[in-house]
Amino acid sequence: MLVYNTLQRRKEEFAPREPGRVSMYVCGVTPYDAMHVGHARTFMAYDVLRRYLESRGLELCHVQNVTDIDDKIIARATHLGEEPVLLAKRFMEEALRDCDSLGLLRAHLYPTVSGHMQEIIEMIEALVGKGAAYLREGSVYFDVSAFPGYGRLSHQNTEEMQSSGRIETDENKADPLDFALWKSAKPGEPCWDSPWGPGRPGWHIECSAMSLKYLNNGFDIHGGAIELQFPHHENEVAQSEAYTGEPPFVRYWLHSGVVFVNGQKMSKSLGNFVTVKDILKVTSAEALRLMFFTTHYRSPFDYSDSKVEESKAAWERVQQSLRLLDRERGDRTGKPVNCEGIEGPLAEQAVRAEARFHQAMEDDFNTPLALATLFELVSESNRYFSENPPPEERRVQAAVALCKLTQLLSVLGFSTSDEGGEEAVDQSADLLNLLVEVRQMARSQKQFALADVIRDRLKDLGYVLEDHAEGTSHRKIS
Ligand SMILES: [Zn+2]
């Protein structure tokens, strides 16, 4: 299996540190506002990567930090008159609910900065002790000149890094590229005691302290959006490797591409800031997943209303095909079908699609190609049934195609339960009619108490029964 490693700028054979086990750290949110389309795309990229590795039998440990102490949080909290750490907690809970709505697997751990102050301070102390960091006016800075490999991850020389526009200016720094590990307290800001006086950690140190604590040195995958490559990830490498003295800190650095909205960088001032809640008002998590996966995770992604509409239509095509296969299969038990070793035109297509699907995913998680093979199978299924195949082969061919399609869709994280679909609606109507019939029987046998219980319980579920001379009708309370 090949993965593209930013560090080497090429695809490499993926070999985890420990056979069968994968350790993955993904830079998480700074919770000061609602989650947006950029977060959704980034986290979905690591979600599918994780799901794929797990589907191949690897055991994965996924850690995602929460930057609950940060300038943006402090600014927003001051504006709203809230405690910064409490504001961060509130937005983090909201972010987790958004992740659930998006169908993302939850990380195994969500460590916070406020919960790891001791580890962070110990790491900074060790860096000072090793001569890799220095103290100025109650703040501590990492000395970039002490780390010869600085710039290796983002493939930039000193001039390029200095002119990147991403360097924090601070007159206390000995070199413009040096960065704060600990910031001395400013009036009115939250602060913690440290050997250098009260203050709070700089941004980068948390990810080194937490990933080294939970995944140990030399862990497998470090992920995040491409914007974090420099300086955040470059700084993580420098401080971690200076601290452990045992490179590499991370084996594979993976970066997901930048996200635009209507061709522009997303920003509140441009009025093109799209939150996860906004998106899920107009489309489903499944259609959104399909929309993101039609672009490779490393490529830039441009979000637009037309893409949302296209992906909704494409997901509906998949669902229609699944319904067709389900009807043809003629088995409503939902039991998995053993589809190995079955021959026939559609079954063979399905087996070929499965092989191509894995080939695509094993090549740096090429979801656009993997999806294309599934869409081909959808078209093949539709074509097969439109040509009136012999009745004796329809059922088993449908079973195999359905089995492979649902299996592969679920590897990519799609839910195929079709809760809002025609079939589900039809079935609830059938069940409702059955209950009305049972209640009629109870009434005709003068079991009025039972009849009333059925009517009341249905009302609790949102259905009103109305008795007329010609029978009973039901309607949903809107
Ligand atoms: Zn990070």
Side-chain angles (χ1 to χ4, degrees), residues 260-373:
F260 298 101
V261 174
N262 298 322
Q264 286 181 303
K265 216 171 166 342
M266 188 171 58
S267 82
K268 281 196 170 153
S269 54
L270 283 174
N272 64 352
F273 192 86
V274 184
T275 67
V276 167
K277 285 187 188 63
D278 292 334
I279 303 170
L280 292 177
K281 272 181 210 153
V282 294
T283 190
S284 67
E286 263 56 46
L288 189 70
R289 192 169 272 267
L290 194 141
M291 179 180 79
F292 287 137
F293 292 175
T294 46
T295 300
H296 190 269
Y297 78 90
R298 272 191 291 116
S299 303
F301 185 87
D302 189 14
Y303 179 89
S304 64
D305 291 346
S306 60
K307 270 208 184 107
V308 170
E309 291 309 314
E310 278 164 32
S311 61
K312 273 159 79 170
W315 179 243
E316 183 51 32
R317 274 204 302 285
V318 173
Q319 285 192 303
Q320 278 170 1
S321 187
L322 290 172
R323 286 181 210 126
L324 165 76
L325 291 170
D326 194 38
R327 277 197 301 275
E328 289 291 344
R329 183 177 69 134
D331 176 5
R332 296 299 171 86
T333 60
K335 276 190 288 195
V337 182
N338 183 6
C339 48
E340 300 309 319
I342 293 174
E343 291 177 350
L346 194 53
E348 282 156 24
Q349 295 278 5
V351 171
R352 272 202 294 276
E354 183 181 33
R356 287 205 309 276
F357 173 92
H358 287 297
Q359 231 170 31
M361 291 302 286
E362 302 263 318
D363 184 10
D364 193 29
F365 311 98
N366 193 334
T367 54
L369 207 56
L371 276 179
T373 67

Side-chain angles (χ1 to χ4, degrees), residues 247-262:
F249 160 54
V250 171
R251 295 162 72 88
Y252 303 92
W253 281 93
L254 273 62
H255 289 102
S256 55
V258 65
V259 176
F260 298 101
V261 174
N262 298 322

